[in-house]
Amino acid sequence: VQMVESGGGLVQAGGSLRLSCRASGMITSVFNPATKAWYRQAPGKQRELVAQLGSAGTADYADFAKGRFTISRDNSRKMIYLQMNSLEPEDTAVYYCNIVDTREINYWGQGTQVTVSS
């Protein structure tokens, strides 16, 4: 299984980005019930949870993401998305997608850089 991310880049403050993550090689019966999430890690800081999506479709967000970010998934394509609006320089970080399957096995993407200029 390989988690392939895309969509990062450089954007001005107030702008938007959409991150995508494809769970390549993961079978549907594993992907669908898994917990899906996005994390981020800024320079000199610990990795932190941005948003999480349970198997039933319930989403939870870090306080800094509420109202600005939206996590979603497409089970048929085994894709996870993070729509980020009203970006701030403080959102600059490497963003990682994550899946935890029903056996508690973690899968991580390679990370995609998001840089927000002021």
Side-chain angles (χ1 to χ4, degrees):
V1 174
Q2 190 174 9
M3 307 285 284
V4 182
E5 299 172 5
S6 60
L10 174 64
V11 65
Q12 287 189 330
S16 299
L17 282 174
R18 188 192 193 207
L19 305 183
S20 301
C21 175
R22 181 168 60 89
S24 178
M26 183 173 286
I27 61 176
T28 301
S29 61
V30 173
F31 182 85
N32 288 4
T35 299
K36 299 143 182 93
W38 288 93
Y39 288 75
R40 71 183 188 183
Q41 187 167 18
K45 294 187 177 181
Q46 289 191 336
R47 190 173 297 189
E48 60 181 350
L49 179 66
V50 176
Q52 183 172 282
L53 192 61
S55 59
T58 302
D60 292 304
Y61 296 92
D63 286 343
F64 63 78
K66 290 178 181 176
R68 299 190 300 132
F69 296 0
T70 302
I71 186 172
S72 61
R73 91 285 197 196
D74 184 336
N75 285 345
S76 65
R77 298 183 177 182
K78 298 173 196 169
M79 297 288 295
I80 310 168
Y81 304 100
L82 185 68
Q83 177 68 42
M84 303 186 294
N85 300 326
S86 302
L87 284 162
E88 304 167 351
E90 293 74 22
D91 296 316
T92 295
V94 178
Y95 284 71
Y96 299 88
C97 63
N98 169 262
I99 284 180
V100 182
D101 71 16
T102 55
R103 299 167 297 170
E104 301 294 321
I105 295 175
N106 270 268
Y107 301 87
W108 290 95
Q110 80 284 0
T112 185
Q113 177 70 46
V114 171
T115 303
V116 184
S117 62
S118 58

